[in-house]
Amino acid sequence: MSRTNTILCALLLLGTLAFANPLQAMWSVAELRAHDHKSAAMQGTPSQVLAGVTQPLGAAQCANGQAAVGGIAFDCSDVDLLAFVPVAALGQESYGSAARRIEGSDVWGWTSPSTGDEYVLMGKTNATAFFRIVTDDATGLPTLENLGELPNPATSFSVWKDIKVRGNHAYIVAEASAHGMQVFDLTTLDGLDEAPDRRHTAVAHYRDASNTSHNIVINPDTDWAYIVGGTSGNTVNDVLCGRGGLHFVDITDPVAPASAGCSAVDLYVHDAQCVTYHGPDTRFTGRELCFNAAEQWVSVVDVTDKNAPVRLGVFPYTRSSYVHQGWLTEDHRFFLLGDETDEQRFGFNTRTMIFDFEDLTSPQLPVEYFGPTTAIDHNMYTRDGLLYQSNYAAGLRILDTEGLYDGGTLSEIAHFDVFPDHDNASFVGTWSNYPYFEDGVVAVNAYDGLFLLQVDATLLANEAFTPGE
């Protein structure tokens, strides 16, 4: 069959899917337009308060609602500052003829099984930077040691970079032409001395059906990665995958990732969480499910059979604007979701949507929780019954989920504001956080740089719990 005929067949297939679901066909045009519009607005405005910080800041205890260091006061509650590394301290500060600013984006972490050392993986426009968490000799507190960077392999730069870890390898994608997926062997960090100028090398560069990608999702219980929100640069692949649907990657062998096809059940997926399900709906126990934030709605898809994904349901909600990212409680009952532009569009405070998925095919109508500020929500994760939200201008917010199991709602119990200027609904401050280190240490990445924070131990001892027990 000629390439032209192949493309025509693919287009016909997409047309058939659209005819079967005209709502999704109309939505696909709207959501692509929405993403392009969002892209134009997402060059973060730097903090004026932090503008003069060019070298790392040390520790500051949260006292009387503030953590003060270097003449800067961060609003806080039960969270201390351990360290702040500004982008300006990482070498290159801008790129391109227009001198666009290098910015921080996503963040993840890794603990070495050999040494027990903990590492922070900081995404930024031009690279992924690696830090070891070490003990500061002067204070006896954790701080950050810069081990160098893995450069961006793309032909252009983009602030949208995402990182996940499976085993001892990091998997890195970005919305930059020809970036693909980098695979980095994290064990090579063990034993290295501090060297900010060090340049690391990836062990694999996956480009099969992956050119630019918004995000990468990894099931922690399997060797499957899911690239989302991307294009391959290949017309047929892009049609079959819906320009940004789930793209399946077998990472059984990290140095040789293998494509296993894709799904256009959702034409565009902005972010997702894929798990081996162990929640209350026992019909799906042991199935591999993806909870997709698909810009216009939440979608739950059974991807156990990569050749025949099955959508369990589509779940829109009122006053949706940009269905961005969410995370399950650890018992897989509740899905907690952030809508990235509803605060700007409707003028209310930070809103978290709470989906009760006791029945995966017919959940209860989502409940709304409104936070204390007007900031936009971004990425959120759960651990020990607590929800760790990165809410742009309002910084890290920690919420207790226990009330959900008594018919109540979320409640904020701690915070650390990484953007001292204001808490307005604008694209400034923090994108993401990593709350899975031991002893309450949380890494928070922001446009302005990387923060290492310490949550109060007494608070964690009193508030943490095991959902479902």
Side-chain angles (χ1 to χ4, degrees):
M1 180 182 290
S2 69
R3 177 176 175 80
T4 300
N5 287 338
T6 302
I7 293 172
L8 288 174
C9 288
L11 291 171
L12 179 61
L13 174 61
L14 184 61
T16 301
L17 293 172
F19 183 77
N21 189 349
L23 176 62
Q24 178 155 339
M26 291 185 289
W27 157 70
S28 66
V29 175
E31 53 86 10
L32 295 182
R33 186 163 54 244
H35 185 60
D36 291 341
H37 174 74
K38 186 171 83 85
S39 300
M42 283 290 289
Q43 177 76 6
T45 302
S47 166
Q48 296 305 304
V49 176
L50 299 176
V53 181
T54 59
Q55 295 300 316
L57 296 179
Q61 185 176 11
C62 181
N64 300 317
Q66 290 189 330
V69 60
I72 298 170
F74 297 95
D75 184 65
C76 60
S77 174
D78 286 313
V79 183
D80 297 332
L81 174 67
L82 295 174
F84 169 57
V85 181
V87 170
L90 298 177
Q92 183 179 354
E93 294 185 60
S94 61
Y95 67 96
S97 58
R100 298 193 70 183
R101 191 170 64 103
I102 299 294
E103 297 169 319
S105 53
D106 191 41
V107 65
W108 209 249
W110 175 69
T111 300
S112 170
S114 300
T115 66
D117 288 341
E118 296 175 327
Y119 296 86
V120 179
L121 287 56
M122 175 197 183
K124 61 193 188 84
T125 310
N126 64 330
T128 301
F130 303 104
F131 297 85
R132 182 188 293 119
I133 300 177
V134 297
T135 300
D136 187 303
D137 292 335
T139 66
L141 297 173
T143 191
L144 293 167
E145 186 176 68
N146 191 335
L147 304 180
E149 301 180 350
L150 175 66
N152 185 336
T155 57
S156 63
F157 287 166
S158 169
V159 69
W160 288 276
K161 182 185 292 289
D162 198 77
I163 309 161
K164 294 294 186 300
V165 170
R166 168 66 173 161
N168 296 324
H169 290 82
Y171 299 82
I172 305 163
V173 301
E175 281 197 26
S177 181
H179 186 286
M181 180 181 74
Q182 293 174 289
V183 183
F184 178 74
D185 184 352
L186 293 164
T187 64
T188 60
L189 300 176
D190 279 341
L192 294 181
D193 295 328
E194 184 167 22
D197 294 332
R198 181 184 288 117
R199 294 298 175 261
H200 297 273
T201 303
V203 296
H205 187 199
Y206 175 83
R207 291 285 308 281
D208 186 357
S210 175
N211 182 42
T212 70
S213 307
H214 182 75
N215 218 316
I216 182 168
V217 182
I218 294 179
N219 183 342
D221 299 319
T222 70
D223 288 320
W224 287 105
Y226 302 85
I227 294 175
V228 301
T231 61
S232 68
N234 178 295
T235 303
V236 175
N237 285 336
D238 288 344
V239 168
L240 294 176
C241 295
R243 193 194 180 270
L246 295 169
H247 171 61
F248 311 134
V249 186
D250 184 346
I251 55 172
T252 303
D253 183 356
V255 301
S259 174
C262 59
S263 169
V265 169
D266 288 304
L267 298 181
Y268 181 91
V269 176
H270 194 73
D271 204 336
Q273 184 184 7
C274 299
V275 299
T276 302
Y277 182 73
H278 61 250
D281 194 337
T282 56
R283 294 175 297 169
F284 302 98
T285 298
R287 306 292 292 179
E288 189 162 13
L289 306 182
C290 289
F291 292 75
N292 298 335
E295 292 201 315
Q296 297 295 315
W297 50 53
V298 172
S299 172
V300 181
V301 180
D302 187 335
V303 295
T304 308
D305 183 351
K306 302 299 183 290
N307 295 315
V310 177
R311 178 191 271 159
L312 304 185
V314 170
F315 310 107
Y317 54 89
T318 59
R319 296 189 293 180
S320 69
S321 183
Y322 195 89
V323 182
H324 177 263
Q325 187 264 359
W327 211 251
L328 291 162
T329 52
E330 291 138 299
D331 61 351
H332 293 178
R333 175 176 171 181
F334 295 99
F335 185 65
L336 309 172
L337 175 79
D339 185 313
E340 192 177 17
T341 59
D342 55 350
E343 290 84 10
Q344 285 187 330
R345 182 174 180 182
F346 299 109
F348 42 59
N349 282 9
T350 308
R351 181 178 65 155
T352 303
M353 304 300 298
I354 304 163
F355 290 81
D356 188 341
F357 274 118
E358 272 199 303
D359 184 331
L360 285 169
T361 56
S362 183
Q364 300 176 29
L365 291 174
V367 176
E368 298 174 321
Y369 165 80
F370 294 96
T373 78
T374 60
I376 300 167
D377 43 12
H378 204 246
N379 289 359
M380 64 184 81
Y381 303 98
T382 57
R383 179 181 182 175
D384 297 333
L386 303 181
L387 177 65
Y388 294 76
Q389 291 187 328
S390 278
N391 289 350
Y392 276 110
L396 176 70
R397 321 300 289 201
I398 303 175
L399 293 83
D400 189 348
T401 68
E402 192 165 16
L404 302 181
Y405 296 87
D406 299 322
T409 188
L410 302 168
S411 60
E412 184 171 299
I413 59 172
H415 72 270
F416 190 98
D417 192 343
V418 302
F419 189 79
D421 305 53
H422 60 72
D423 289 340
N424 298 342
S426 52
F427 295 114
V428 296
T430 174
W431 258 32
S432 198
N433 67 86
Y434 182 79
Y436 301 112
F437 293 124
E438 296 302 317
D439 301 323
V441 174
V442 181
V444 176
N445 203 4
Y447 282 124
D448 301 289
L450 176 66
F451 291 80
L452 193 67
L453 306 178
Q454 175 76 63
V455 185
D456 182 75
T458 301
L459 177 82
L460 291 178
N462 292 335
E463 301 293 344
F465 71 100
T466 303
E469 292 186 1

